[in-house]
Amino acid sequence: DAGITQSPRHKVTETGTPVTLRCHQTENHRYMYWYRQDPGHGLRLIHYSYGVKDTDKGEVSDGYSVSRSKTEDFLLTLESATSSQTSVYFCAISGDTEAFFGQGTRLTVV
Amino acid sequence: GESVGLHLPTLSVQEGDNSIINCAYSNSASDYFIWYKQESGKGPQFIIDIRSNMDKRQGQRVTVLLNKTVKHLSLQIAATQPGDSAVYFCAELRGGADGLTFGKGTHLIIQP
């Protein structure tokens, strides 16, 4: 498996609280992505990064922010968690073509 | 709306038969396509890819076919095994770093 680690793997948080998910890679890949996966919607792109401090919005970016201060780390922050953000979050990395995925973070907002 | 989608949410096949999973895309500018397999509780795993300058690519027990005329992609799995049971996603890359766009997935069920 590609060297991707997501943390935490599971989290339960309360509505209105900030939450940060971390993605760490050991492959030195340029591109990193955050997706969320929900029943009936498949995988949807939240934000992506094409280099250190270079990020852009994906399809479902509202309510999320990201930061990439180092090549190996890509952080996803929910500024004020809402129940609609209950989901499974996947980080992915890629060089120029196929993306490799982490194991996912199951986030529940109560 | 979705530019990449799968025709069937569930596909049930007999063990040992061949499986064909289909995908339609709408963006003619897409130049790279991937099939992923996702088992329960895991992240998607790369199976096979194909570039738009090809119409067929074969891997181990899997073949991907690309028909650019009708914007159709298919994944063929030969001699389906119980371990093939998973959700299969097609994904498209339009070039650059925009990220992959995924279809909603087909759940492949293997009957003994």
Side-chain angles (χ1 to χ4, degrees), chain A:
Chain A
D1 290 344
I4 312 170
T5 305
Q6 290 185 230
S7 59
R9 293 292 312 278
H10 302 272
K11 185 169 182 66
V12 179
T13 192
E14 293 185 349
T15 300
T17 61
V19 177
T20 295
L21 309 183
R22 180 181 183 237
C23 179
H24 179 77
Q25 63 148 329
T26 58
E27 304 297 319
N28 201 35
H29 280 329
R30 178 182 177 189
Y31 303 113
M32 298 185 77
Y33 311 90
W34 276 108
Y35 287 86
R36 61 177 289 175
Q37 186 172 35
D38 305 286
H41 291 280
L43 286 148
R44 293 180 292 174
L45 182 64
I46 305 172
H47 281 280
Y48 63 95
S49 170
Y50 43 96
V52 173
K53 295 196 170 113
D54 291 323
T55 66
D56 208 344
K57 296 179 180 180
E59 178 189 356
V60 289
S61 61
D62 287 349
Y64 302 95
S65 63
V66 290
S67 66
R68 191 162 177 206
S69 58
K70 298 184 290 184
T71 299
E72 57 266 35
D73 289 325
F74 193 33
L75 304 181
L76 176 71
T77 297
L78 289 65
E79 303 290 347
S80 177
T82 66
S83 58
S84 65
Q85 293 176 310
T86 292
S87 185
V88 179
Y89 291 85
F90 286 100
C91 174
I93 64 174
S94 73
D96 293 322
T97 52
E98 75 267 21
F100 299 96
F101 285 80
Q103 292 299 300
T105 295
R106 182 173 294 277
L107 176 68
T108 303
V109 183
V110 297

